[in-house]
Amino acid sequence: MANTPASAPLQPSASRTRWFAVIALALPFVLFGAIELAVRALWPAGALPLFVSAPAGNGAWLMANPVVAARWFPGEASPPAPNGEFFRAEKAANGFRVFVLGESSAQGFPYPRTGSFARLLDAALSDALPNHDVEVITLGIAATNSYAMLDIVPEVLAQHPDAVLYYGGHNEYVGALGAGSSIKLASSPALTRLFVRLQHLRTVRALNRFVAQRRTRSAQESRGAIDPAAASFMESVTSGRDIVLGDALYGVGAQQFEENLARIVQAVTAANVPVYVASVPSNVREQAPFAAAGNAAARATFDSATAALAAGDSAAARVRFVRARDLDVVRFRAPSSFDSVVQRVVMQAGPLARYVPVSEAFAAAAVARAPGSDLFLEHVHPNRAGVRLIANTFLRALQRAAPAGAALDSTRVQPMEAYEARVAVTPFDERVAHHRVAALAARWPFVPLDRQGDYRGTYVPTSSADSLAFLVAGGARPWEFAKLELARRLESGGDTTQAVAEYVGLAGDQFIFAEPHSLAGAALFRARRFAEADAQFALAYDIAPSAELALVRAQIAGGRQDWSAAVQQLELARRFDPVRADILYQLALAQSLAGNLPAAQETARLLQRANPQYPQLPQLLTTLGVR
């Protein structure tokens, strides 16, 4: 008989081994999931959705989240914010919705919100599409780039846009997460995109925020804190490293722009939405290469271009100005190659991607075909002429290749100057822009580090309006409140026209609120400009109907002896309180003057039953022949 061991060790079965392996592999994910759920419960503010409910309207309106940029600026206490523009939470059946993606130039900087090209385009499309509810919403955010735009595309598409416009490219090197930025997640575009996606996990975002804040404090201690009252994101987001044309870092920035833009265009067109991508111009004629030791070649080329222009050789001047911009090692302006990138991406994307030749339009409109202060305020932000030109170029692109279901009536479109008057960019808004540009121009990279100034700390306002604009430009006073305060001052000083312009500009921005229209109407009424006042009161009534608005419109109608219109308005007022004595009294008089005596008598009897002690009642009854 063969020898057998008294007892053999138990061997785990194959199925038990597999289960142990599965549990061992799954345990870290289960643990991370539990941590993620706990962080979500403890830190609800970390959600950072792109869109949130507007402060009025009971959820009927949405707006861009003011703190959404914390996704890409984890170490910043006050990251740049998008414009607070309202749009319907539920798109109208006849809605035509357009989103604008981009940076500060798309946002409208340095102007307040009404100064963006999106506002002009909204007004023009409203005329071209009279049967549509037009919404053009800009999501431009200062100091961001294609990483941020790619990140928000899914949330934009969830709002059912009819078209997406893209105007960006200047911040690919020094914007948040860019190749030469101080705010970076990884050294390669692919890894950066992965980390940006991981930021949607609350645990990852919290950890990154903690690390970024510690890194920011450490950097400030080593080089001295940047005074946020004096500096801008131009200073805080750049690593300070020279980026030489054609070097490895330059190539990384070009690669990230092309790859991210291609992904953006692919995502939008895959949703069957047309995307209009613009080339991006910059100031090449009057913006010298920035203050950097490595810019000797760029400055020599710029000086050569200036000399050629003075000698009348505009063709050579343009080539050299563009070359000087491309050689600039401080890359706050998109290089020429980016226009080729845009054309290549659009060409490869198919028929729903359209190229918008904004750079070409600027060259055609500029002196010597080299844009300067005729179209720009500084290096990349357009002045009013430039803003109109961008809006008009996008409008033409939409007219040439309109989105499905949108037949633009070009015969109804007016010049952009008319739309600028409609959105009411006022001298006050221009002054806000002036102060913002002046504060930028006093700092690096416009001047060397050892010659920087503090414009906000040294400027002395010249008037009360200038003081308000200065406060708005520095972020010390909300633009809306400053507009209201200035309008009241102007009206009390007798300048009704300019006061109304401030009210109307505010009304166009805050269009879900009736108050700006009501205030404009009241100012016009006091100035005895009754027809204009009635128009403003009508707009206010459409937003928030009330008995008081109907009553004042009835008073205006009575003043021009249009008693039928007065009766109509008083009937509207009566809907809010069917037995309100003063409404019934005025209605009876208006009906009588309109020639409808039986109706007037019936209204008088109703007043008699509802308020027999009304002081004017006996005379009214006698006048109308009512016992």
Side-chain angles (χ1 to χ4, degrees):
M1 176 181 290
N3 294 326
T4 58
S7 63
L10 294 175
Q11 299 294 324
S13 67
S15 61
R16 290 180 65 187
T17 302
R18 285 196 297 269
W19 274 111
F20 278 126
V22 168
I23 292 172
L25 289 173
L27 189 59
F29 294 98
V30 172
L31 181 60
F32 182 84
I35 295 172
E36 175 70 11
L37 291 174
V39 174
R40 286 173 181 262
L42 295 172
W43 189 34
L48 298 182
L50 176 59
F51 300 116
V52 295
S53 292
N58 295 321
W61 300 91
L62 297 177
M63 60 182 288
N65 187 347
V67 296
V68 68
R71 293 184 187 179
W72 319 295
F73 295 88
E76 294 287 342
S78 300
N83 291 349
E85 299 182 359
F86 309 127
F87 64 97
R88 298 184 188 279
E90 184 174 346
K91 185 179 175 183
N94 65 334
F96 182 78
R97 178 173 289 174
V98 178
F99 285 104
V100 178
L101 306 184
E103 307 150 349
S104 56
S105 295
Q107 187 174 18
F109 181 90
Y111 297 99
R113 290 190 296 267
T114 51
S116 71
F117 74 80
R119 293 299 177 90
L120 300 181
L121 193 58
D122 183 280
L125 289 173
S126 296
D127 278 355
L129 296 167
N131 298 320
H132 287 74
D133 179 60
V134 174
E135 298 172 308
V136 180
I137 307 104
T138 180
L139 297 174
I141 305 175
T144 61
N145 53 38
S146 59
Y147 284 121
M149 298 305 104
L150 178 60
D151 187 35
I152 66 175
V153 161
E155 292 163 281
V156 169
L157 293 175
Q159 297 301 326
H160 312 293
D162 295 278
V164 172
L165 313 185
Y166 194 99
Y167 184 80
H170 292 306
N171 291 347
E172 292 305 310
Y173 290 97
V174 292
L177 313 181
S181 173
S182 61
I183 303 172
K184 295 184 69 172
L185 295 177
S187 57
S188 76
L191 282 176
T192 300
R193 285 190 293 270
L194 173 62
F195 285 143
V196 170
R197 290 181 64 85
L198 290 174
Q199 291 283 330
H200 290 271
L201 294 170
R202 208 76 57 88
T203 307
V204 175
R205 184 175 297 155
L207 179 62
N208 189 37
R209 183 187 184 196
F210 173 76
V211 172
Q213 288 175 342
R214 287 182 61 87
R215 185 183 301 158
T216 299
R217 284 195 296 268
S218 176
Q220 289 177 346
E221 291 169 0
S222 63
R223 61 181 169 85
I226 295 176
D227 179 7
S232 70
F233 274 100
M234 290 185 72
E235 291 178 64
S236 61
V237 300
T238 179
S239 65
R241 177 178 171 182
D242 289 356
I243 304 175
V244 178
L245 183 65
D247 72 3
L249 195 55
Y250 177 91
V252 172
Q255 177 189 358
Q256 83 180 38
F257 180 56
E258 183 157 5
E259 291 180 354
N260 291 346
L261 183 61
R263 283 169 168 78
I264 291 168
V265 171
Q266 181 183 15
V268 175
T269 55
N272 203 32
V273 176
V275 57
Y276 299 77
V277 189
S279 51
V280 284
S282 58
N283 182 346
V284 297
R285 192 180 76 247
E286 291 171 292
Q287 177 58 65
F290 288 117
N295 259 341
R299 280 193 290 271
T301 305
F302 182 84
D303 293 342
S304 175
T306 304
L309 184 61
D313 190 351
S314 59
R318 168 173 166 73
V319 171
R320 294 172 192 173
F321 279 130
V322 172
R323 180 65 177 171
R325 187 266 315 275
D326 291 350
L327 288 172
D328 194 340
V329 299
V330 184
R331 298 208 170 272
F332 285 105
R333 294 177 289 177
S336 302
S337 62
F338 278 24
D339 287 350
S340 300
V341 168
V342 172
Q343 292 175 340
R344 185 163 56 249
V345 167
V346 168
M347 187 181 303
Q348 295 171 352
L352 284 178
R354 288 89 188 246
Y355 177 73
V356 184
V358 175
S359 286
E360 295 84 340
F362 269 64
V367 173
R369 296 184 60 81
S373 61
D374 45 356
L375 295 168
F376 286 97
L377 293 166
E378 15 73 354
H379 62 310
V380 295
H381 299 113
N383 60 18
R384 297 314 305 163
V387 171
R388 292 192 298 269
L389 188 53
I390 296 172
N392 197 55
T393 308
F394 270 111
L395 177 63
R396 289 181 179 178
L398 287 161
Q399 290 171 323
R400 284 193 303 268
L408 276 67
D409 185 354
S410 298
T411 64
R412 295 175 54 88
V413 176
Q414 303 176 55
M416 281 296 161
E417 288 79 2
Y419 298 123
E420 189 158 71
R422 186 183 300 181
V423 302
V425 176
T426 66
F428 173 74
D429 301 324
E430 294 270 16
R431 195 64 185 165
V432 172
H434 166 81
H435 287 308
R436 287 174 174 166
V437 171
L440 281 179
R443 308 288 296 183
W444 184 88
F446 295 94
V447 298
L449 289 170
D450 58 356
R451 287 169 45 197
Q452 287 192 115
D454 182 3
Y455 176 81
R456 295 186 183 124
T458 58
Y459 180 78
V460 178
T462 59
S463 66
S464 59
D466 186 46
S467 177
L468 282 173
F470 182 71
L471 291 172
V472 171
R477 182 73 61 88
W479 172 73
E480 304 90 330
F481 296 156
K483 293 275 274 188
L484 286 173
E485 184 176 345
L486 177 61
R488 293 189 179 105
R489 291 182 188 178
L490 290 166
E491 187 186 359
S492 65
D495 191 349
T496 301
T497 299
Q498 194 54 48
V500 169
E502 301 298 345
Y503 285 134
V504 170
L506 186 57
D509 178 73
Q510 303 285 299
F511 60 84
I512 66 174
F513 298 100
E515 286 78 4
H517 286 300
S518 296
L519 292 168
L524 290 163
F525 187 90
R526 287 188 287 268
R528 306 186 65 79
R529 293 162 58 175
F530 298 120
E532 297 170 80
D534 188 51
Q536 292 297 321
F537 287 133
L539 292 169
Y541 188 91
D542 287 342
I543 299 169
S546 70
E548 283 65 31
L549 287 170
L551 279 170
V552 73
R553 294 197 69 202
Q555 184 179 352
I556 293 172
R560 63 175 184 268
Q561 297 189 358
D562 185 351
W563 301 111
S564 295
V567 169
Q568 182 182 18
Q569 292 301 320
L570 288 163
E571 290 285 10
L572 290 175
R574 186 181 170 190
R575 294 178 183 177
F576 295 92
D577 189 347
V579 293
R580 181 170 155 180
D582 61 332
I583 295 176
L584 293 174
Y585 173 74
Q586 293 183 51
L587 177 59
L589 288 179
Q591 289 169 330
S592 173
L593 291 167
N596 191 348
L597 184 59
Q601 291 174 332
E602 179 59 31
T603 302
R605 292 189 184 96
L606 177 59
L607 173 59
Q608 185 179 30
R609 291 193 296 272
N611 195 335
Q613 304 303 316
Y614 189 69
Q616 286 81 25
L617 178 62
Q619 184 179 359
L620 176 66
L621 297 175
T622 300
T623 301
L624 298 179
V626 179
R627 292 180 60 185

